[in-house]
Amino acid sequence: LSKGKGSARGEAASRAQVARYLGQAIDLQTHGKGKQAAKELQSAIKIGLDHPAAHYNLGVLLKELGELDDAKKHLMASVGHPELALGANLALGRLARMQNDQVEAARYLLQALRLADTLSVDKSQSSQLNQFYDTILASQNEGDSAALARIVESTLNFLSGPEWLHRLRQ
């Protein structure tokens, strides 16, 4: 994390200072001090840290603090990273739900479900699975608000809790 992506800003930033901010953020977050942890992560990013995991973590913290627009910006910066995409889409879906945007919530949550499903199928089936999700995502705007709300709630229930991976495999 402290190396970032190697952007010009990141190269100019003091690695020791980035490490200090990250260390403080981790310590504060583990002690339940999300607001202060978010400030430390924001400082690290401001001086040049540009890593999807930092943006993801900051996005989740900001979402919990109710700073939804900033949370979305940071979660979007992590959504393209393969190891973070499932969590980022899930968090973005929850965030959109908090903002009563059922269409966007359904879109992000179905994308999260697609990513989760790819974990449970053989590589040979992934093309078929992607076509299935493309069809669902393309038709979701045609649904009424009650149908979208059901998609959002059922997807959140399915992908939440300690048993979500077990349910997915079944």
Side-chain angles (χ1 to χ4, degrees), residues 1-4 6-7 10-20 47-48:
L1 263 180
S2 64
K3 293 180 183 174
S7 69
E11 294 295 324
S14 164
R15 299 252 186 252
Q17 193 172 13
V18 168
R20 185 176 61 82
I47 66 166

Side-chain angles (χ1 to χ4, degrees), residues 3-48:
K3 293 180 183 174
K5 285 185 177 177
S7 69
R9 267 179 57 184
E11 294 295 324
S14 164
R15 299 252 186 252
Q17 193 172 13
V18 168
R20 185 176 61 82
Y21 284 133
L22 283 175
Q24 288 175 340
I26 292 166
D27 184 53
L28 289 164
Q29 190 173 3
T30 58
H31 288 94
K33 298 178 181 176
K35 188 173 185 172
Q36 292 131 317
K39 285 183 181 183
E40 295 297 321
L41 267 176
Q42 286 169 326
S43 295
I45 289 169
K46 185 182 273 187
I47 66 166

Side-chain angles (χ1 to χ4, degrees), residues 88-167:
N89 276 289
L90 188 58
L92 284 163
R94 286 184 173 140
L95 193 146
R97 180 176 167 242
M98 291 168 70
Q99 294 177 315
N100 294 317
D101 187 343
Q102 296 293 338
V103 172
E104 191 166 311
R107 183 171 56 89
Y108 284 121
L109 292 171
L110 286 171
Q111 186 62 26
L113 188 59
R114 174 200 298 234
L115 293 165
D117 263 350
T118 61
L119 298 173
S120 68
V121 298
D122 209 46
K123 293 265 188 216
S124 62
Q125 295 175 311
S126 64
S127 175
Q128 235 179 338
L129 184 65
N130 280 324
Q131 287 177 347
F132 173 71
Y133 276 101
D134 287 342
T135 303
I136 291 174
L137 286 164
S139 66
Q140 82 167 15
N141 289 335
E142 298 170 13
D144 60 28
S145 59
L148 286 173
R150 282 192 303 274
I151 289 171
V152 168
E153 294 308 315
S154 63
T155 306
L156 277 174
N157 288 334
F158 186 75
L159 291 175
S160 298
E163 298 292 319
W164 75 270
L165 192 54
H166 178 71
R167 285 190 297 271

